[in-house]
Amino acid sequence: MHEITLTIPHFSLRDTLLCGQCFRWEENPDGSFSGFAGAHYADIRQAGSQVLIASSQADAGFWHAYFDLDTDYEDAKRRLYRYRAMRGPIDRAGGIRLLRQDPWEALCSFIISQNNNIPRIKGIVGRLCEGFGSPVPGGFSFPAPERLAGCTADDLAPLRAGFRAKYILDAAKKVADGTIDPARIAHSSTGEGEAELMQILGVGVKVAQCALLYGFHKLDAFPVDVWMKKSLALYFPNGFPKQAKKIQGIAQQFLFHDIRTYQEERSG
DNA sequence: GGCCAGGCTTTTC
DNA sequence: GAAAAGCATGGC
């Protein structure tokens, strides 16, 4: 294993890895985390502003990018703090960073997420990797679209993904044959990317926005699910301010984690 | 046991 | 067009 240390002030590793943006990390009893980012297995723990990564590969640059260290979150939080309603969510959930995940993995994972819950999403994603991924140090990679494009729904039955299996296959085929081009979406506007992704069976606005935010790092993407509807009703009944549109994806993550973790029992 | 889960597609009114 | 049903599976 290779030891890599990153310095990330005002950061919460736990909130970042458990807030529902990724599905391949598990918390250990000692508070560290084990799992995968792309094909990189790692054990990660946080000590203050130090993030200690024991990685299967000597690739500090990869982890620098994964934890999005080139984005200034302190600046984003200062801007968002102008809105009184954001202050509680920032104080409670402001340690979250938007991970720069692989686009295909994020797209596929959030197709699986629909009408589903996070523990079961993790189970399906785990079985997908073990059944169809490639062996890498520490476990299995997330399967490439080309690997899944030749599969049938019956092949995916062991995943117990239910009705989502045919959506996974449609997405894999359209990415593998170029109908959907992640490289093109990466250079497109969020609106254009949404339209392209929604060509996939089983991808609506919510899943497309999740893929754009978590897989393509489009910080103006803004997925709204049942939790975000609750949060917006509580904090922004007149809608999220358009002045903050460029970083509303960061705000979304604070609001989502806050409402799920801290406000569930509070009556509106 | 019915309800719900980071929804979407299909059918029906 | 809008609203409702249907969809697989599992946890509570």
Side-chain angles (χ1 to χ4, degrees):
Chain A
M1 298 293 267
H2 302 85
E3 302 288 341
I4 296 154
T5 301
L6 303 176
T7 300
I8 316 179
H10 307 110
F11 173 64
S12 169
L13 177 67
R14 186 171 193 276
D15 287 351
T16 295
L17 296 183
L18 296 183
C19 69
Q21 64 174 320
C22 55
F23 303 101
R24 297 202 72 196
W25 293 101
E26 296 297 332
E27 187 173 26
N28 299 312
D30 67 357
S32 67
F33 288 82
S34 299
F36 291 86
H40 299 237
Y41 176 87
D43 298 305
I44 308 183
R45 61 192 173 89
Q46 178 174 17
S49 61
Q50 301 291 99
V51 177
L52 307 160
I53 303 168
S55 173
S56 60
Q57 301 170 44
D59 195 347
F62 173 85
W63 295 102
H64 181 102
Y66 185 68
F67 285 108
D68 196 22
L69 295 193
D70 288 335
T71 298
D72 187 345
Y73 282 76
E74 297 314 301
D75 181 61
K77 282 185 269 191
R78 273 195 300 275
R79 295 188 196 186
L80 294 171
Y81 217 79
R82 294 175 190 160
Y83 305 100
R84 183 167 293 278
M86 283 304 305
R87 294 181 185 177
I90 290 172
D91 290 343
R92 290 184 288 268
I96 296 174
R97 302 177 76 90
L98 273 297
L99 299 168
R100 287 187 182 260
Q101 302 182 66
D102 175 76
W104 160 248
E105 177 173 338
L107 169 62
C108 193
S109 296
F110 280 92
I111 287 171
I112 292 167
S113 80
Q114 68 187 76
N115 193 218
N116 211 341
N117 55 66
I118 290 176
R120 200 164 85 92
I121 298 165
K122 285 188 174 183
I124 295 169
V125 169
R127 290 189 289 277
L128 180 64
C129 295
E130 289 173 16
F132 299 90
S134 303
V136 296
F140 294 88
S141 67
F142 196 93
E146 292 78 10
R147 171 69 181 88
L148 297 172
C151 293
T152 66
D154 282 348
D155 295 331
L156 298 193
L159 305 181
R160 286 169 280 154
F163 61 88
R164 305 167 192 83
K166 61 179 178 292
Y167 300 161
I168 296 169
L169 295 177
D170 192 64
K173 286 172 184 169
K174 283 178 174 155
V175 172
D177 73 13
T179 305
I180 304 294
D181 181 0
R184 182 168 59 228
I185 295 171
H187 292 93
S188 300
S189 70
T190 299
E192 291 166 341
E194 178 187 271
E196 181 161 349
L197 290 169
M198 285 179 65
Q199 296 176 60
I200 299 167
L201 183 67
V203 175
V205 173
K206 159 63 170 58
V207 170
Q209 291 288 316
C210 283
L212 290 163
L213 181 58
Y214 306 122
F216 293 91
H217 205 258
K218 306 280 190 191
L219 295 183
D220 60 338
F222 196 76
V224 176
D225 69 328
V226 291
W227 288 104
M228 278 303 295
K229 284 179 182 169
K230 287 183 197 176
S231 181
L232 292 171
L234 177 62
Y235 293 124
F236 293 100
N238 298 320
F240 191 79
K242 296 196 170 23
Q243 294 86 342
K245 186 175 181 181
K246 286 185 179 175
I247 52 172
Q248 63 183 356
I250 296 175
Q252 188 271 0
Q253 204 57 28
F254 298 158
L255 291 166
F256 176 79
H257 190 249
D258 173 75
I259 200 76
R260 267 178 48 100
T261 308
Y262 303 108
Q263 307 299 326
E264 187 173 3
E265 304 304 325
R266 179 198 273 190
S267 62

